[in-house]
Amino acid sequence: MGSRSSHAARIPDVDSLRRETGFSQASLRRLYDRFQALDRTGKGYLSRLDLQQIRALAVNPLGDRIIDSFFPDGSLRLDFPGFVRVLAHFRPVDEEDEGNRDPKEPEPLNSRMNKLRFAFQLYDLDRDGKISRHEMLQALRLMVGVQVTEEQLESIADRTVQEADEDGDGAVSFLEFAKSLEKMNIEQKMSIRILK
Amino acid sequence: MDGTELAGQILYTWLTLVFGLILLPSAFGVSLGISEIYMKILVKTLEWATLRIETGVAKQSALKNSASVGIIQRDESPMEKGLSGLRGRDFELSDVFYFSKKGLEAIVEDEVTQRFSSEELVSWNLLTRTNVNFQYVSPRLTAVWVLGVIVRYCVLLPLRLTLAFIGISLFVIGTTLVGQLPRNRLKNLLSELVHLTCCRICVRALSGTIHYHNRQYRPQKGGICVANHTSPIDVLILTTDGCYTMVGQVHGGLMGIIQRAMVKACPHVWFERSEMKDRHLVIKRLKEHIAHKKELPILIFPEGTCINNTSVMMFKKGSFEIGGTIHPVAIKYNPQFGDAFWNSSKYNIVSYLLRVMTSWAIVCDVWYMPPMTREEGEDAVQFANRVKSAIAVQGGLTELPWDGGLKRAKVKDAFKEEQQKNYSKMIVGNGSLKSELD
């Protein structure tokens, strides 16, 4: 990685990526370097295995779910635009973005709503737009491993669903999810700033 | 006729020069100071180049930060702070943010993957291979670079290849000759002389400048020497200052010839590939070797694989179960003059050696450290970690708990369980949940 010079010209569709994701040219170059470094065998795309070999990700309790979010709809190949689009969710929110935004253009990928959507789909496995009690349990089980008993976990899941559920359907929809987190500083908690 | 005569004359003068200026002094361990002069010129040139780049780039944009700072802003606070809670707080929907952020940070930059590619330099050292973000600055700089290419490929490379060839041939011949003698003191002395001379020649073949620190702690007979591993050249660098018993697999080809020759002169420990898999057999043989306390110290690289010299990864406990005194050694290369790291998945050994021979020089520091032994109640893993920390501190390298050999395999679950444990403690911890149930 350090011995390859990658100029912006080598990145395919760099201008449209800049507009879509909001990353600067330098950041895109850094991410492209990273993409190539992760693609050890030089295939030009990333597979699940490439991401699973990142140790810090493999030991993350939600590691597999995070990897899934890069491969939507059962696809097996992750190309660079797809890679950057997911990462764009974590771009810090600039104040200027909000002011200058043209309301007719689609929401930027790193808006508060999109960050919340990213977090939501980590819970909502079947993509039905609701987090059922069962899905809540599964996510909790991932995060605690074998350390907590089934009963304790069930009561935590029940309590959480009850608190967030407003229309009483026993599941948490995206709007209910967003509402329960409206006081949270999402922008700070779900942002990764690229320094150079 | 004239052409071949001329060529013959040139070759003759060339070889005489090489012999007189390099080989003879090596045999006596003396230095004529030519390499020192070369290094001084090189340092001055690189400083000048750095200045030119800085002034050139300052006109365009701000100079980038030091390469040791990561590319993303990290919040290294522990899990408790990241989840913004005290112990015993309940599960929140937002907890998933912490894990997803950590996960994506790892995807953008993780501390392990970057250790298997060459270190990035702060300022360019006039080698195309290290040119990452440095753009065209001025014609003068380009001219110097072109000059550098000519010097490296047309002057230095042939010289280094000649020296390497002579060094290896002398080594094989020398050890075979010494091997004919019966085992006595004379044989050991001669074997040492052959080893040292040929290693010095080979180090000159790489334009190596090595600084040894704390030579009073040099590994003694009957001990085990452990060091961090960056490339096969490590062996050369350590052997220039003393003889060691090598441990390793039997190879074929040129390496095999060298190995068989070495074993004739002094007892190295070579294993067949099948034997290497049997850990107990390996440890048993090494134990036998150091039992006499009269054999040369064993040289082992506990990381098991080449790392890029910015960090030290997990030391395999096998070397620390043998017993005996451990003599740690820290090796740190200066990347400004040439990159010594062998990226075995990217380059094979021949292209690696060519790259090394077309760099400016190999400059490194070697620190010998006071011997360490296993303490009461310490198991092999803890001892290994203690030695690893000592080496990392001495060499100015970062310490990582990961196993370097796993770069092609999956990770142990123990690390994941630790995170899960911490998280569980937080949301269930004080029994606050139990009181809810009652």
Side-chain angles (χ1 to χ4, degrees):
Chain A
M1 185 175 82
S3 57
R4 244 186 293 201
S5 57
S6 74
H7 302 285
R10 295 220 196 131
I11 306 173
D13 305 319
V14 63
D15 287 318
S16 70
L17 275 178
R18 275 183 69 186
R19 260 177 289 127
E20 198 184 337
T21 59
F23 280 124
S24 69
Q25 189 116 321
S27 299
L28 278 176
R29 206 183 305 141
R30 280 284 165 189
L31 290 174
Y32 193 63
D33 274 343
R34 177 64 174 172
F35 182 80
Q36 286 183 318
L38 290 173
D39 179 15
R40 287 165 212 273
T41 42
K43 311 185 281 297
Y45 59 87
L46 292 178
S47 67
R48 266 174 212 271
L49 193 62
D50 289 321
L51 289 180
Q52 277 163 353
Q53 301 219 319
I54 302 174
R55 253 154 275 203
L57 187 61
V59 302
N60 187 315
L62 291 179
D64 284 327
R65 298 254 176 124
I66 295 172
I67 294 176
D68 283 340
S69 60
F70 281 91
F71 296 90
D73 314 318
S75 60
L76 293 173
R77 295 183 182 203
L78 178 64
D79 58 3
F80 182 63
F83 182 67
V84 176
R85 267 183 219 120
V86 175
L87 289 176
H89 284 100
F90 280 76
R91 195 168 68 82
V93 177
D94 298 324
E95 288 72 31
E96 313 135 25
D97 275 352
E98 292 300 308
N100 298 345
R101 212 162 59 74
D102 180 359
K104 286 202 224 46
E105 271 188 26
E107 231 181 317
L109 284 169
N110 66 335
S111 70
R112 187 191 166 85
M113 273 296 148
N114 277 326
K115 285 188 203 276
L116 281 170
R117 275 197 196 99
F118 184 83
F120 189 77
Q121 49 102 22
L122 287 178
Y123 283 108
D124 182 19
L125 281 182
D126 56 9
R127 303 268 185 272
D128 64 352
K130 288 185 197 291
I131 306 175
S132 67
R133 181 176 168 278
H134 183 63
E135 286 171 335
M136 182 77 67
L137 257 180
Q138 282 180 315
L140 271 169
R141 181 54 74 190
L142 276 181
M143 288 195 268
V144 304
V146 299
Q147 308 296 329
V148 177
T149 66
E150 192 67 26
E151 295 89 39
Q152 283 172 317
L153 221 55
E154 282 184 6
S155 58
I156 295 176
D158 282 333
R159 181 186 59 77
T160 317
V161 170
Q162 264 172 1
E163 276 176 6
D165 187 14
E166 286 185 349
D167 56 10
D169 60 354
V172 182
S173 72
F174 176 64
L175 289 169
E176 289 164 350
F177 182 73
K179 186 132 184 288
S180 73
L181 293 170
E182 64 187 347
K183 295 209 185 59
M184 180 128 311
N185 185 355
I186 310 284
E187 288 80 1
Q188 190 253 329
K189 279 186 182 295
M190 298 251 302
S191 290
I192 299 175
R193 180 172 298 279
I194 299 183
L195 288 176
K196 51 181 181 178
Chain B
M1 276 303 278
D2 279 334
T4 42
E5 261 193 43
L6 189 61
Q9 278 282 44
I10 295 178
L11 194 60
Y12 183 68
T13 0
W14 171 254
L15 284 176
T16 328
L17 274 175
V18 168
F19 187 71
L21 292 177
I22 300 177
L23 291 181
L24 270 184
S26 301
F28 295 107
V30 162
S31 167
L32 285 178
I34 302 178
S35 21
E36 276 82 1
I37 300 174
Y38 168 67
M39 291 303 294
K40 282 210 186 77
I41 301 177
L42 194 57
V43 167
K44 283 265 167 345
T45 320
L46 289 180
E47 274 174 13
W48 172 84
T50 314
L51 234 52
R52 297 288 311 181
I53 295 175
E54 277 177 6
T55 45
V57 169
K59 289 179 208 147
Q60 299 160 24
S61 63
L63 195 61
K64 298 186 174 46
N65 306 356
S66 149
S68 56
V69 173
I71 64 168
I72 52 179
Q73 190 171 30
R74 292 259 186 175
D75 183 14
E76 296 290 356
S77 50
M79 197 190 274
E80 285 84 6
K81 192 151 167 286
L83 285 162
S84 68
L86 315 150
R87 284 183 70 121
R89 68 188 261 309
D90 298 319
F91 167 70
E92 301 269 346
L93 281 170
S94 57
D95 285 351
V96 73
F97 292 167
Y98 173 79
F99 289 114
S100 55
K101 179 170 168 180
K102 284 280 164 228
L104 273 125
E105 278 177 350
I107 291 182
V108 175
E109 178 186 53
D110 80 304
E111 55 184 7
V112 175
T113 316
Q114 63 178 152
R115 308 291 172 185
F116 291 105
S117 59
S118 308
E119 198 185 344
E120 258 187 59
L121 294 174
V122 179
S123 67
W124 191 35
N125 64 348
L126 297 177
L127 296 173
T128 328
R129 62 189 71 143
T130 50
N131 187 354
V132 178
N133 278 326
F134 305 110
Q135 306 110 326
Y136 171 82
V137 172
S138 81
R140 243 192 287 178
L141 195 62
T142 318
V144 173
W145 173 73
V146 171
L147 185 62
V149 171
I150 296 176
V151 167
R152 281 184 295 121
Y153 281 84
C154 303
V155 175
L156 291 177
L157 183 61
L159 174 65
R160 288 173 182 168
L161 284 174
T162 323
L163 282 175
F165 180 70
I166 295 177
I168 296 179
S169 331
L170 264 181
F171 185 65
V172 173
I173 298 171
T175 44
T176 320
L177 285 176
V178 172
Q180 308 300 330
L181 298 172
R183 264 207 97 166
N184 56 20
R185 277 209 63 196
L186 179 67
K187 179 178 184 182
N188 291 344
L189 274 170
L190 281 179
S191 144
E192 253 191 64
L193 182 68
V194 169
H195 269 94
L196 288 177
T197 311
C198 297
C199 281
R200 284 193 198 118
I201 297 175
C202 288
V203 165
R204 300 280 169 103
L206 303 169
S207 295
T209 309
I210 313 172
H211 297 119
Y212 295 99
H213 305 267
N214 303 334
R215 295 186 75 193
Q216 68 269 25
Y217 293 126
R218 270 170 58 186
Q220 303 298 320
K221 291 202 163 85
I224 303 175
C225 175
V226 301
N228 56 319
H229 200 30
T230 308
S231 96
I233 298 179
D234 291 342
V235 175
L236 211 56
I237 292 189
L238 288 177
T239 327
T240 321
D241 199 37
C243 287
Y244 297 90
T245 304
M246 310 286 171
V247 177
Q249 257 182 34
V250 172
H251 287 97
L254 180 62
M255 267 311 296
I257 299 176
I258 298 178
Q259 280 179 333
R260 280 193 291 277
M262 281 168 90
V263 133
K264 291 197 187 101
C266 85
H268 296 286
V269 185
W270 301 124
F271 290 98
E272 298 292 333
R273 201 176 203 108
S274 49
E275 288 175 322
M276 284 295 286
K277 299 219 193 324
D278 185 353
R279 250 171 42 92
H280 296 287
L281 181 68
V282 171
I283 294 181
K284 187 160 152 296
R285 264 181 81 175
L286 292 175
K287 272 197 173 125
E288 283 165 8
H289 190 90
I290 65 168
H292 306 302
K293 293 242 181 282
K294 283 187 293 179
E295 302 289 357
L296 298 168
I298 304 178
L299 179 59
I300 296 184
F301 296 105
E303 280 166 319
T305 185
C306 294
I307 316 287
N308 78 345
N309 208 233
T310 55
S311 67
V312 182
M313 298 226 192
M314 188 173 103
F315 274 10
K316 296 199 174 32
K317 62 178 180 177
S319 339
F320 300 89
E321 286 171 340
I322 305 172
T325 333
I326 302 278
H327 300 268
V329 178
I331 307 177
K332 177 85 177 101
Y333 291 88
N334 186 342
Q336 194 70 14
F337 297 102
D339 177 31
F341 167 56
W342 181 30
N343 192 342
S344 50
S345 47
K346 227 170 148 190
Y347 306 107
N348 61 16
I349 186 76
V350 176
S351 48
Y352 165 70
L353 284 174
L354 274 177
R355 280 167 65 91
V356 168
M357 287 194 193
T358 52
S359 313
W360 294 117
I362 299 289
V363 178
C364 67
D365 289 288
V366 176
W367 286 276
Y368 293 111
M369 292 158 64
M372 292 168 125
T373 39
R374 194 156 87 171
E375 283 168 12
E376 283 290 325
E378 203 181 26
D379 69 354
V381 174
Q382 290 164 329
F383 183 39
N385 285 335
R386 195 159 59 93
V387 175
K388 184 181 83 162
S389 304
I391 292 184
V393 165
Q394 178 65 271
L397 308 162
T398 38
E399 232 189 292
L400 293 178
W402 307 104
D403 183 344
L406 281 180
K407 63 182 184 245
R408 292 174 202 98
K410 300 203 80 181
V411 184
K412 285 204 178 66
D413 285 326
F415 290 111
K416 191 190 269 201
E417 275 173 26
E418 213 184 293
Q419 286 210 40
Q420 287 169 331
K421 246 191 245 177
N422 283 344
Y423 181 64
S424 314
K425 274 199 216 132
M426 284 190 58
I427 64 170
V428 179
N430 296 357
S432 61
L433 195 60
K434 209 154 171 292
S435 54
E436 245 187 66
L437 292 172
D438 287 340

